[in-house]
PDB file of all heavy atoms in Angstrom:
ATOM      1  N   ARG A 211      17.933  20.791  -3.173  1.00 88.00           N
ATOM      2  CA  ARG A 211      17.188  19.564  -3.263  1.00 88.00           C
ATOM      3  C   ARG A 211      17.847  18.561  -4.132  1.00 88.00           C
ATOM      4  O   ARG A 211      17.970  17.365  -3.911  1.00 88.00           O
ATOM      5  CB  ARG A 211      15.767  19.885  -3.915  1.00 88.00           C
ATOM      6  CG  ARG A 211      14.845  18.679  -4.014  1.00 88.00           C
ATOM      7  CD  ARG A 211      14.141  18.521  -2.740  1.00 88.00           C
ATOM      8  NE  ARG A 211      13.145  17.421  -2.834  1.00 88.00           N
ATOM      9  CZ  ARG A 211      12.605  16.771  -1.795  1.00 88.00           C
ATOM     10  NH1 ARG A 211      12.946  17.005  -0.664  1.00 88.00           N
ATOM     11  NH2 ARG A 211      11.769  15.725  -2.028  1.00 88.00           N
ATOM     12  N   ALA A 212      18.422  19.023  -5.317  1.00 92.00           N
ATOM     13  CA  ALA A 212      19.133  18.135  -6.282  1.00 92.00           C
ATOM     14  C   ALA A 212      20.330  17.439  -5.567  1.00 92.00           C
ATOM     15  O   ALA A 212      20.491  16.220  -5.727  1.00 92.00           O
ATOM     16  CB  ALA A 212      19.512  18.820  -7.514  1.00 92.00           C
ATOM     17  N   LYS A 213      21.140  18.150  -4.819  1.00 93.00           N
ATOM     18  CA  LYS A 213      22.293  17.644  -4.199  1.00 93.00           C
ATOM     19  C   LYS A 213      21.798  16.644  -3.108  1.00 93.00           C
ATOM     20  O   LYS A 213      22.479  15.548  -3.013  1.00 93.00           O
ATOM     21  CB  LYS A 213      23.085  18.812  -3.500  1.00 93.00           C
ATOM     22  CG  LYS A 213      24.295  18.391  -2.739  1.00 93.00           C
ATOM     23  CD  LYS A 213      25.527  18.076  -3.524  1.00 93.00           C
ATOM     24  CE  LYS A 213      26.669  17.556  -2.791  1.00 93.00           C
ATOM     25  NZ  LYS A 213      27.327  18.445  -1.875  1.00 93.00           N
ATOM     26  N   THR A 214      20.848  16.962  -2.400  1.00 93.00           N
ATOM     27  CA  THR A 214      20.312  16.153  -1.315  1.00 93.00           C
ATOM     28  C   THR A 214      19.810  14.769  -1.860  1.00 93.00           C
ATOM     29  O   THR A 214      20.174  13.656  -1.450  1.00 93.00           O
ATOM     30  CB  THR A 214      19.196  16.825  -0.554  1.00 93.00           C
ATOM     31  OG1 THR A 214      19.651  17.994  -0.069  1.00 93.00           O
ATOM     32  CG2 THR A 214      18.635  15.891   0.640  1.00 93.00           C
ATOM     33  N   GLU A 215      19.039  14.887  -3.005  1.00 93.00           N
ATOM     34  CA  GLU A 215      18.576  13.655  -3.654  1.00 93.00           C
ATOM     35  C   GLU A 215      19.681  12.811  -4.188  1.00 93.00           C
ATOM     36  O   GLU A 215      19.590  11.590  -4.016  1.00 93.00           O
ATOM     37  CB  GLU A 215      17.636  14.116  -4.877  1.00 93.00           C
ATOM     38  CG  GLU A 215      16.349  14.690  -4.432  1.00 93.00           C
ATOM     39  CD  GLU A 215      15.414  13.817  -3.811  1.00 93.00           C
ATOM     40  OE1 GLU A 215      15.239  12.679  -4.109  1.00 93.00           O
ATOM     41  OE2 GLU A 215      14.857  14.204  -2.668  1.00 93.00           O
ATOM     42  N   SER A 216      20.741  13.366  -4.735  1.00 93.00           N
ATOM     43  CA  SER A 216      21.804  12.588  -5.232  1.00 93.00           C
ATOM     44  C   SER A 216      22.531  11.812  -4.000  1.00 93.00           C
ATOM     45  O   SER A 216      22.841  10.572  -4.127  1.00 93.00           O
ATOM     46  CB  SER A 216      22.802  13.513  -5.981  1.00 93.00           C
ATOM     47  OG  SER A 216      24.084  12.929  -6.018  1.00 93.00           O
ATOM     48  N   LEU A 217      22.700  12.462  -2.885  1.00 94.00           N
ATOM     49  CA  LEU A 217      23.297  11.887  -1.739  1.00 94.00           C
ATOM     50  C   LEU A 217      22.471  10.735  -1.250  1.00 94.00           C
ATOM     51  O   LEU A 217      22.968   9.668  -0.947  1.00 94.00           O
ATOM     52  CB  LEU A 217      23.576  12.921  -0.682  1.00 94.00           C
ATOM     53  CG  LEU A 217      24.732  13.861  -0.797  1.00 94.00           C
ATOM     54  CD1 LEU A 217      24.701  14.978   0.107  1.00 94.00           C
ATOM     55  CD2 LEU A 217      26.082  13.117  -0.576  1.00 94.00           C
ATOM     56  N   LEU A 218      21.112  10.955  -1.119  1.00 94.00           N
ATOM     57  CA  LEU A 218      20.237   9.935  -0.614  1.00 94.00           C
ATOM     58  C   LEU A 218      20.131   8.793  -1.581  1.00 94.00           C
ATOM     59  O   LEU A 218      19.926   7.554  -1.177  1.00 94.00           O
ATOM     60  CB  LEU A 218      18.828  10.544  -0.339  1.00 94.00           C
ATOM     61  CG  LEU A 218      18.810  11.510   0.805  1.00 94.00           C
ATOM     62  CD1 LEU A 218      17.424  12.139   0.865  1.00 94.00           C
ATOM     63  CD2 LEU A 218      19.046  10.854   2.119  1.00 94.00           C
ATOM     64  N   LEU A 219      20.221   8.967  -2.824  1.00 93.00           N
ATOM     65  CA  LEU A 219      20.276   7.860  -3.835  1.00 93.00           C
ATOM     66  C   LEU A 219      21.353   7.035  -3.649  1.00 93.00           C
ATOM     67  O   LEU A 219      21.312   5.775  -3.744  1.00 93.00           O
ATOM     68  CB  LEU A 219      20.255   8.646  -5.284  1.00 93.00           C
ATOM     69  CG  LEU A 219      19.958   7.657  -6.459  1.00 93.00           C
ATOM     70  CD1 LEU A 219      18.534   7.051  -6.370  1.00 93.00           C
ATOM     71  CD2 LEU A 219      20.220   8.358  -7.754  1.00 93.00           C
ATOM     72  N   ASN A 220      22.573   7.546  -3.381  1.00 93.00           N
ATOM     73  CA  ASN A 220      23.744   6.718  -3.211  1.00 93.00           C
ATOM     74  C   ASN A 220      24.027   6.268  -1.834  1.00 93.00           C
ATOM     75  O   ASN A 220      24.516   5.082  -1.650  1.00 93.00           O
ATOM     76  CB  ASN A 220      25.034   7.569  -3.700  1.00 93.00           C
ATOM     77  CG  ASN A 220      24.935   7.986  -5.138  1.00 93.00           C
ATOM     78  OD1 ASN A 220      24.579   7.093  -6.003  1.00 93.00           O
ATOM     79  ND2 ASN A 220      25.161   9.141  -5.466  1.00 93.00           N
ATOM     80  N   ASP A 221      23.695   7.136  -0.860  1.00 94.00           N
ATOM     81  CA  ASP A 221      24.040   6.712   0.543  1.00 94.00           C
ATOM     82  C   ASP A 221      22.722   6.704   1.473  1.00 94.00           C
ATOM     83  O   ASP A 221      22.762   7.094   2.592  1.00 94.00           O
ATOM     84  CB  ASP A 221      24.997   7.685   1.128  1.00 94.00           C
ATOM     85  CG  ASP A 221      26.397   7.446   0.478  1.00 94.00           C
ATOM     86  OD1 ASP A 221      26.799   6.283   0.360  1.00 94.00           O
ATOM     87  OD2 ASP A 221      27.016   8.431   0.059  1.00 94.00           O
TER      88      ASP A 221
END
Side-chain angles (χ1 to χ4, degrees):
R211 182 85 178 163
K213 175 82 187 291
T214 304
E215 287 296 312
S216 160
L217 282 164
L218 290 172
L219 191 64
N220 296 313
D221 291 314

